[in-house]
């Protein structure tokens, strides 16, 4: 087998894996949106079966033979090297994990998701704790198998979501921004800002009209995507031309729902842009990492859609749709209200300043859980203790505390740090965008196309050819600098609130 024949076969095998990923995403979407109450048992088996098929293909002897033929190849393109890297990385990982374990985690994830939903609705930890304990046992087994020399249990889990990033690196980055963020929250949370008008009754149909208009301006292609409602907003790729997002309308503030839609729209733009003609249908047609993915959703949600310039253009349309709710509310009042910094217990509704503190809480607690430093029964109080330390108060209920996030039900330990890494990546990318484009005038005129095209060309179309850290360096011509995030916040919020 020549190297060219080996690479062509690698592409064929990779496309089969992507098809399985898309099938799994379809079943997961259906479970989230419309699964019948009694359909869970077989759905968990269906997802487990697909997980085992994927594992067997990704770690097959043929995959190993193909990768062996491509060892040391030095005349490949960037795209070819990227695909070889991804497939070799997963091959080596899957060879360490028994198919039975991979299948068990998938099946347990389907069961635990439903018990999480029930526990959250009832506000009862006991409805979820048993399934969580089973999942944690499986994840610990997985972490032990992925553990590398000199690393801890958590490192292997983190690497699944942020290739090339170690636990101690994340800890250093978080330590660098922790004190400035706590200081900013202390200074800004006491500011008197009238936000009452955001908590009135806003008809959902009109909310959808406004959100869809913004999504279209962002270049969300409704011929390739759609938006639905779920308990926890998310984005999923069902197919190269079928990228779906969800939002929710149960949050108290109208801006929470709008922000969720824009946030997920940012994820979808990345997926749509990565499905270019070269990358389409391969594992490269996705984000460089979850941190880089999150950088784009956070950039669109906060740096663009909460900026004064954005609302100079969009606030008249918002007032037209919601004239009674915004009567007597000036543009300046509105912008200050949607950027109010406050001590909220809910991560997805947290303001731009305090959000990363919510992520640090989960990062700290996940390590304690995986390392066995807290038992499952002790997790709710450990959560509250971390919450008091970082955010200064205790959540009023368990629904506002440890039961608010879905991620642990699917075994996604190591995922949460990427949310705050996304803030760091996003601030550095936004600085570069502002150097290259007249951002203020574009936003004031409602021209989101120019910004979307810039991000598509510089980031989205690169897909996963490089890691998140490598992509950041290629786009901004420098390594990750966490101080840019806190500098961005200091500048924005001093202009807004003095």
């Amino acid at each position: 087998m020549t190297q060219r024949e080996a690479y062509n076969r690698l592409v064929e095998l990779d496309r089969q894996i992507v098809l399985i990923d898309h099938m799994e995403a379809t079943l997961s979407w259906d479970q989230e949106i419309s699964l019948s109450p009694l359909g869970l048992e077989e759905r968990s088996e269906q997802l487990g079966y697909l997980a085992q098929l994927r594992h067997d293909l990704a770690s097959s002897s043929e995959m190993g033979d193909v990768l062996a033929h491509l060892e040391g190849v030095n005349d490949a393109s960037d795209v070819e090297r990227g695909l070889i890297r991804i497939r070799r990385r997963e091959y080596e990982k899957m060879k360490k994990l028994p198919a039975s374990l991979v299948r068990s985690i998938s099946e347990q994830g389907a069961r635990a998701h439903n018990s999480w939903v029930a526990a959250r609705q009832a506000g009862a930890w006991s409805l979820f704790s048993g399934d969580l304990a089973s999942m944690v046992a499986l994840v610990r087994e997985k972490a032990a198998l992925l553990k590398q020399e000199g690393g801890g249990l958590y490192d292997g889990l983190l690497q699944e979501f942020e290739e090339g990033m170690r636990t101690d690196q994340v800890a250093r980055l978080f330590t660098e921004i922790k004190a400035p963020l706590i200081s900013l929250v202390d200074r800004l949370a006491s500011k008197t800002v009238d936000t009452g008008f955001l908590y009135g009754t806003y008809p959902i149909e009109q909310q959808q009209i406004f959100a869809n208009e913004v999504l279209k301006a962002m270049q969300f292609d409704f011929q390739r995507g759609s938006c639905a409602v779920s308990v926890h907003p998310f984005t999923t790729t069902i197919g190269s031309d079928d990228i779906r997002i969800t939002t929710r309308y149960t949050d108290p503030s109208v801006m929470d729902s709008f922000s969720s839609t824009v946030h997920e729209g940012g994820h979808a733009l990345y997926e749509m842009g990565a499905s270019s003609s070269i990358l389409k249908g391969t594992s490269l047609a996705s984000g460089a990492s979850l941190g880089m993915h999150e950088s784009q959703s956070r950039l669109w949600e906060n740096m663009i859609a909460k900026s004064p310039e954005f609302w100079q253009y969009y606030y008249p349309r918002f007032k037209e749709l919601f004239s009674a709710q915004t009567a007597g509310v000036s543009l300046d009042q509105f912008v200050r209200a949607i950027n109010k910094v406050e001590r909220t217990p809910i991560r997805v509704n947290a303001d731009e300043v305090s959000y990363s503190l919510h992520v640090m809480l989960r990062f700290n607690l996940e390590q304690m859980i995986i390392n066995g430093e807290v038992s499952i029964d002790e997790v709710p109080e450990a959560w509250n203790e971390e919450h008091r330390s970082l955010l200064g108060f205790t959540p009023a209920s368990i629904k506002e505390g440890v039961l608010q996030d879905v991620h642990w039900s699917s075994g996604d330990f190591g995922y949460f740090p990427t949310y705050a890494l996304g803030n760091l990546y996003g601030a550095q990318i936004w600085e570069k965008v502002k150097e290259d484009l007249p951002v203020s005038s574009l936003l004031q005129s409602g021209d989101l196309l120019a910004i979307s095209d810039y991000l598509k060309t510089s980031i989205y179309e690169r897909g996963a050819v490089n890691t998140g850290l490598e992509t950041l360096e290629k786009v901004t011509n420098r390594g990750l600098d966490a101080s840019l995030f806190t500098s961005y916040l200091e500048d924005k919020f001093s202009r807004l609130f003095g």
Side-chain angles (χ1 to χ4, degrees):
M1 184 186 297
T2 67
Q3 285 190 340
R4 178 49 49 191
E5 290 171 336
Y7 182 76
N8 290 340
R9 183 54 182 158
L10 183 71
V11 172
E12 292 173 359
L13 293 171
D14 178 74
R15 289 183 182 275
Q16 292 176 39
I17 291 170
V18 171
L19 285 175
I20 295 174
D21 287 340
H22 290 170
M23 294 176 196
E24 187 275 335
T26 304
L27 291 176
S28 296
W29 167 274
D30 178 74
Q31 178 177 341
E32 190 80 40
I33 302 301
S34 60
L35 182 68
S36 63
L38 297 180
L40 175 63
E41 182 176 352
E42 185 170 334
R43 179 56 46 86
S44 67
E45 293 176 3
Q46 293 165 351
L47 289 168
Y49 178 69
L50 287 178
Q52 183 166 342
L53 282 180
R54 190 188 190 287
H55 172 277
D56 292 346
L57 184 56
S59 61
S60 66
S61 58
E62 183 180 13
M63 181 69 77
D65 291 342
V66 167
L67 290 169
H69 277 86
L70 295 169
E71 188 73 40
V73 61
N74 53 21
D75 61 345
S77 67
D78 287 346
V79 169
E80 291 169 341
R81 282 195 296 270
L83 188 62
I84 292 168
R85 184 194 89 248
I86 285 176
R87 292 271 56 92
R88 176 170 287 118
R89 179 171 175 261
E90 186 165 32
Y91 173 78
E92 292 173 352
K93 182 183 81 172
M94 289 300 184
K95 290 296 285 186
K96 297 177 182 178
L97 302 178
S100 58
L101 176 61
V102 172
R103 183 166 187 164
S104 294
I105 290 174
S106 179
E107 291 178 351
Q108 180 60 21
R111 288 188 289 268
H113 178 273
N114 271 30
S115 65
W116 168 78
V117 171
R120 190 171 188 272
Q121 290 173 343
W125 178 247
S126 60
L127 296 180
F128 179 52
S129 59
D131 276 326
L132 178 61
S134 298
M135 178 59 82
V136 167
L138 292 169
V139 172
R140 281 181 185 149
E141 183 180 349
K142 173 183 173 180
L145 292 168
L146 295 178
K147 185 175 180 291
Q148 296 180 343
E149 186 176 350
L153 284 177
Y154 195 75
D155 281 301
L157 304 177
L158 176 63
Q159 283 280 327
E160 283 202 280
F161 304 107
E162 199 63 35
E163 183 181 353
M165 188 72 79
R166 299 188 313 273
T167 305
D168 60 344
Q169 289 177 290
V170 175
R172 284 198 298 271
L173 290 166
F174 286 0
T175 297
E176 186 176 342
I177 64 174
K178 176 182 172 181
L181 292 181
I182 290 175
S183 175
L184 272 170
V185 172
D186 287 342
R187 283 149 48 197
L188 293 167
S190 61
K191 300 286 185 179
T192 301
V193 181
D194 178 15
T195 60
F197 62 91
L198 296 175
Y199 295 85
T201 301
Y202 287 76
I204 291 176
E205 183 179 356
Q206 288 165 259
Q207 289 189 56
Q208 290 173 327
I209 290 171
F210 182 74
N212 286 347
E213 288 178 5
V214 173
L215 284 175
K216 288 176 183 176
M218 291 167 57
Q219 305 309 301
F220 181 95
D221 186 350
F222 280 90
Q223 294 298 307
R224 300 178 63 203
S226 60
C227 183
V229 176
S230 67
V231 174
H232 192 101
F234 68 99
T235 300
T236 190
T237 298
I238 304 293
S240 299
D241 295 308
D242 188 3
I243 292 94
R244 305 182 189 182
I245 67 174
T246 71
T247 190
R248 63 185 179 197
Y249 297 100
T250 55
D251 292 314
S253 167
V254 64
M255 285 306 299
D256 291 337
S257 298
F258 175 69
S259 293
S260 292
T261 303
V262 174
H263 179 101
E264 301 305 332
H267 282 305
L269 292 187
Y270 202 159
E271 291 291 305
M272 289 176 176
S275 293
S276 66
S277 57
I278 297 174
L279 307 181
K280 188 174 184 177
T282 73
S283 295
L284 297 174
S286 186
S289 72
L290 284 185
M292 185 55 64
H293 229 307
E294 196 64 24
S295 78
Q296 296 311 292
S297 58
R298 302 287 294 169
L299 185 153
W300 279 102
E301 175 192 359
N302 294 313
M303 296 169 188
I304 292 176
K306 287 184 181 175
S307 69
E309 294 85 356
F310 175 91
W311 287 103
Q312 283 182 38
Y313 181 84
Y314 277 103
Y315 191 49
R317 175 57 173 154
F318 190 83
K319 285 183 70 70
E320 180 183 342
L321 288 167
F322 306 108
S323 56
Q325 294 87 342
T326 58
V329 180
S330 69
L331 171 62
D332 180 66
Q333 288 174 300
F334 181 82
V335 172
R336 285 166 59 89
I338 66 173
N339 283 287
K340 166 131 176 73
V341 175
E342 53 191 339
R343 302 181 192 278
T344 175
I346 305 298
R347 174 185 61 84
V348 295
N349 297 342
D351 57 82
E352 204 173 354
V353 178
S354 66
Y355 182 90
S356 293
L357 297 174
H358 288 266
V359 175
M360 291 178 200
L361 180 161
R362 290 152 176 81
F363 173 63
N364 295 340
L365 192 53
E366 282 193 342
Q367 292 176 77
M368 289 190 280
I369 292 171
I370 296 302
N371 292 332
E373 297 166 17
V374 295
S375 69
I376 298 303
D377 289 339
E378 294 170 334
V379 167
E381 181 49 40
W383 176 288
N384 289 345
E385 186 175 334
E386 287 289 321
H387 201 284
R388 285 190 292 269
S389 172
L390 289 164
L391 293 155
F393 70 101
T394 302
S397 70
I398 199 167
K399 294 170 69 173
E400 292 186 340
V402 71
L403 283 175
Q404 66 182 275
D405 291 308
V406 69
H407 304 63
W408 292 345
S409 69
S410 54
D412 287 337
F413 288 81
Y415 188 125
F416 275 120
T418 65
Y419 285 122
L421 291 174
N423 282 336
L424 305 185
Y425 292 166
Q428 191 161 321
I429 291 167
W430 188 234
E431 182 182 73
K432 178 62 174 172
V433 174
K434 290 189 292 183
E435 288 176 4
D436 294 344
L437 294 178
V439 167
S440 292
S441 59
L442 289 172
L443 291 176
Q444 288 167 1
S445 63
D447 184 3
L448 303 184
L449 172 61
I451 298 172
S452 183
D453 281 349
Y454 179 95
L455 294 170
K456 180 181 178 182
T457 302
S458 60
I459 298 175
Y460 306 162
E461 290 180 348
R462 292 177 184 268
V465 170
N466 302 108
T467 68
L469 287 168
E470 290 169 348
T471 300
L472 179 74
E473 190 161 353
K474 286 179 179 293
V475 172
T476 66
N477 302 313
R478 62 191 299 186
L480 177 58
D481 183 353
S483 68
L484 295 176
F485 175 57
T486 50
S487 296
Y488 153 77
L489 292 176
E490 287 277 6
D491 176 66
K492 174 179 177 177
F493 284 86
S494 64
R495 286 187 289 111
L496 284 172
F497 298 104

